[in-house]
Amino acid sequence: MADILVDSNVILDVVTEDPKWYEWSAGQLERLTERYTLVINPIIYSEISIGFDRIEDLDHALPRDFFRRDSLLCEAGFLAGKCFVRYRHSGGRRRSPLPDFYIGAHAAIQGMALLTREANRYKTYFPKLTLISP
């Protein structure tokens, strides 16, 4: 495991200094960056962008020397769609694929671990995915 996809909730904990999760999330990022490459994708980037008025400020919060930016592969989109179908068949109410399915599929297809504090959906739909979570 050389690359770790970082879920937006972990980054948002640090950026917003979340009173409950800041310490855990910041500690994980600090610990993992010493041995692994931390990765984000366009879905994660867009989820974090909501809290910023200017792209320059967002890019400052997500420095390229700290986070590698990867594109999403079509294979990840296919897997996300299949997991979404399972979600709908098991009673899920959303009508379009959720960002979590794209994030989980990206990590799974690329063989990355996923750093997240919300592991339940990933455990259900991506059971072979290596998760780093509380």
Side-chain angles (χ1 to χ4, degrees), residues 5 15 21 32 35-36 42 55 69 78 82 84 92:
L5 190 63
V15 170
W21 290 105
L32 295 170
R35 295 180 33 211
Y36 304 100
I55 194 168
R69 297 176 185 192
F78 181 83
K82 294 304 171 195
F84 179 73

Side-chain angles (χ1 to χ4, degrees), residues 18-93:
D18 183 271
K20 182 176 180 181
W21 290 105
Y22 174 83
E23 191 172 314
W24 183 86
S25 294
Q28 292 298 316
L29 290 173
E30 184 178 332
R31 180 180 68 82
L32 295 170
T33 195
E34 294 174 6
R35 295 180 33 211
Y36 304 100
T37 301
L38 302 180
V39 181
I40 61 172
N41 65 31
I43 301 288
I44 295 163
Y45 188 90
S46 69
E47 288 182 327
I48 296 165
S49 75
I50 293 169
F52 293 86
D53 292 328
R54 297 174 351 112
I55 194 168
E56 294 84 2
D57 297 333
L58 175 60
D59 286 340
H60 181 74
L62 300 172
R64 289 179 185 266
D65 59 342
F66 194 83
F67 294 104
R68 187 179 80 210
R69 297 176 185 192
D70 281 5
S71 299
L72 287 171
L73 299 174
C74 289
E75 293 85 352
F78 181 83
L79 179 57
K82 294 304 171 195
C83 290
F84 179 73
V85 168
R86 284 186 47 219
Y87 161 80
R88 292 285 292 150
H89 286 165
S90 67
R93 298 187 184 272

Side-chain angles (χ1 to χ4, degrees), residues 108-122:
I109 292 294
Q110 294 294 117
M112 291 187 266
L114 177 62
L115 174 61
T116 184
R117 64 171 167 76
E118 298 174 353
N120 288 341
R121 182 173 291 133
Y122 298 115

